[in-house]
Amino acid sequence: MTVPSPYAERLRRLPVRRHEVSVRGGTTAYWEYGPADAATTIVAVHGFRGEHHGLEPVLAFLPEARVIAPDLPGFGESAPLPDRTHDLGEYAAWLREFAASVAPGAVILGHSFGSIVTAGAVAGGLPTPRLILINPIGAPALEGPKGLMTRLAVLYYALGARLPERVGTALLRNRLIVRVMSIAMAKTRDAGLRRFIHDQHDTYFSRFSDRDVLRDAFVASVSHDVREFARDIDVPTLLVAAERDDITPIEAERSLSALFADATLVEIAHVGHLIHYETPAEAAGAIRRFLRIRVAPSP
């Protein structure tokens, strides 16, 4: 990372501890943010091709909570799960075992692809008092406002998987393609924030272990959405949605919220699929109200 974070000062005040745990035969790296004795513990799951760093801006505005942020298997510093297909069922099973081992009974949070993983895990029996979904995937990606772009992405990942390994992996890590994606998703007009977002994607978006894991995770991300699990989730659920999300339009998010037994929908204006980078304070405020976390007095 070469561009300073706009949230660096807040993050510097946040205690951070790195850990590892064995889950389903693989080593999962995870980070613990905030006070170890906090009244509220959250397990936060990042999105497709990302890693735990992506959610740090939101965590910077939640200093009163203890947040457990793992790298998904096969991404960041977490090893792939050996001899397993990294499909949605496997990721949901991994999350159930990870949470049971590291933070049983924690609030569960997922962003983007993480919203599908967490919804699938909770619907499949992961115990949690509350569920939080940021930029939830509330409709099939191929039907979103940028459905054509998604179809091109399908071809891109298919080509990356079929070319000779070295060439295919180089294509999947191509910095120009990563930058085009980043430019398409960023909505802010703040030049400094845009530079930070692009640098985050340049730094962390290609830290996948191998192209097979990436292909499996991509197929899972475009083959499922939160709707298929919503009716099976009976815990209070917060949806933090963006009015300009190119992957799930806000109308689809409103329809999604109606499928849950107990859902609260918070809509954030002037932002797209990067709530965690562009409006983390607003997202954290919604989370704090939902969880009734009291703001600590300033030092």
Side-chain angles (χ1 to χ4, degrees):
M1 187 175 70
T2 58
V3 177
S5 168
Y7 316 107
E9 183 56 35
R10 284 181 168 272
L11 284 168
R12 273 194 291 270
R13 298 198 298 263
L14 203 60
V16 183
R17 300 162 294 278
R18 185 191 183 279
H19 308 278
E20 291 184 354
V21 65
S22 179
V23 182
R24 298 183 75 76
T27 299
T28 293
Y30 69 96
W31 286 257
E32 181 182 4
Y33 295 82
D37 59 351
T40 300
T41 295
I42 302 170
V43 171
V45 181
H46 63 78
F48 175 67
R49 279 193 73 154
E51 52 154 66
H52 72 281
H53 282 102
L55 291 172
E56 283 190 335
V58 178
L59 309 188
F61 289 92
L62 288 171
E64 305 86 2
R66 172 178 175 248
V67 181
I68 305 296
D71 285 345
L72 283 169
F75 293 89
E77 297 182 30
S78 288
L81 303 175
D83 303 318
R84 298 178 188 271
T85 300
H86 290 67
D87 56 17
L88 182 59
E90 188 58 43
Y91 276 121
W94 162 84
L95 179 57
R96 287 193 293 270
E97 292 190 19
F98 173 80
S101 174
V102 172
V107 172
I108 302 297
L109 179 153
H111 170 257
S112 189
F113 176 54
S115 74
I116 308 176
V117 173
T118 55
V122 173
L126 172 59
T128 181
R130 295 192 172 222
L131 174 65
I132 300 166
L133 307 177
I134 301 176
N135 285 122
I137 307 300
L142 294 172
E143 296 176 10
K146 295 272 180 91
L148 176 60
M149 292 291 289
T150 304
R151 287 178 173 82
L152 291 175
V154 171
L155 294 176
Y156 166 67
Y157 284 105
L159 183 61
R162 291 172 184 168
L163 287 169
E165 184 172 0
R166 184 174 178 181
V167 176
T169 300
L171 174 66
L172 293 169
R173 290 195 167 112
N174 184 277
R175 290 174 66 87
L176 177 60
I177 294 174
V178 170
R179 179 55 60 90
V180 168
M181 173 281 307
S182 188
I183 291 171
M185 289 200 294
K187 304 301 181 187
T188 180
R189 295 182 180 179
D190 183 309
L193 183 54
R194 289 183 73 89
R195 284 194 297 272
F196 169 69
I197 290 169
H198 299 332
D199 186 62
Q200 287 280 291
H201 287 137
D202 288 346
T203 303
Y204 301 119
F205 213 61
S206 294
R207 296 186 66 194
F208 54 88
S209 61
D210 60 74
R211 64 178 183 169
D212 293 333
V213 167
L214 187 65
R215 178 201 58 221
D216 290 350
F218 175 74
V219 170
S221 73
V222 298
S223 302
H224 301 274
D225 60 77
V226 177
R227 294 179 309 169
E228 63 190 270
F229 306 111
R231 289 189 174 89
D232 295 321
I233 295 173
D234 58 6
V235 300
T237 300
L238 171 66
L239 290 79
V240 184
E243 291 186 355
R244 298 179 61 194
D245 197 327
D246 292 323
I247 295 179
T248 301
I250 194 62
E251 295 81 7
E253 303 285 33
R254 293 166 184 161
S255 299
L256 171 65
S257 68
L259 301 179
F260 289 88
D262 182 357
T264 300
L265 174 65
V266 172
E267 301 179 14
I268 301 180
H270 314 303
V271 68
H273 201 66
L274 302 181
I275 283 176
H276 58 310
Y277 286 139
E278 297 188 35
T279 57
E282 291 87 341
I287 293 168
R288 183 179 289 110
R289 292 189 296 273
F290 179 66
L291 300 180
R292 299 180 179 89
I293 297 175
R294 297 194 176 196
V295 179
S298 298

